[in-house]
Amino acid sequence: MGRFSHRTTRLERRRESQILGTLMPLAWLVGIVGAIGMAAIGVDYAIHGRWEEHVFIGSAIVAVVPFIVLAYRLVRGHFSSELHDQ
């Protein structure tokens, strides 16, 4: 018995995989915006000596979004060959 031997589960995961697959480019853009925000705070600190901790933390959280989505997809089996074989 494979992980996706139950047809309903397999179809639901395929649908979920397709939806999240189409949203991944948006997640990467959000992550890039967060990384740019972190870099901007770093540059501002280097130039002016100001440290905006709440902005840096918010940018770091936003920068991690694509990795959270990838981890979720990995745990749910979206990259499994069993999901797409049948």
Side-chain angles (χ1 to χ4, degrees):
M1 286 252 101
R3 182 175 179 187
F4 298 109
S5 59
H6 193 261
R7 184 175 188 272
T8 306
T9 303
R10 189 175 58 253
L11 292 176
E12 287 174 3
R13 292 286 168 84
R14 277 187 188 171
R15 193 170 330 128
E16 184 179 278
S17 176
Q18 289 173 346
I19 291 169
L20 288 176
T22 58
L23 292 178
M24 270 314 289
L26 180 62
W28 283 113
L29 286 175
V30 167
I32 290 170
V33 168
I36 290 171
M38 287 173 34
I41 294 299
V43 169
D44 186 53
Y45 178 72
I47 294 172
H48 302 290
R50 294 183 296 212
W51 184 253
E52 300 291 334
E53 186 173 357
H54 59 283
V55 177
F56 183 81
I57 292 171
S59 295
I61 291 170
V62 170
V64 173
V65 166
F67 301 105
I68 293 172
V69 174
L70 277 174
Y72 178 78
R73 292 183 71 196
L74 184 65
V75 168
R76 296 287 285 179
H78 293 179
F79 302 111
S80 172
S81 61
E82 293 178 13
L83 182 64
H84 301 287
D85 282 346
Q86 301 163 345

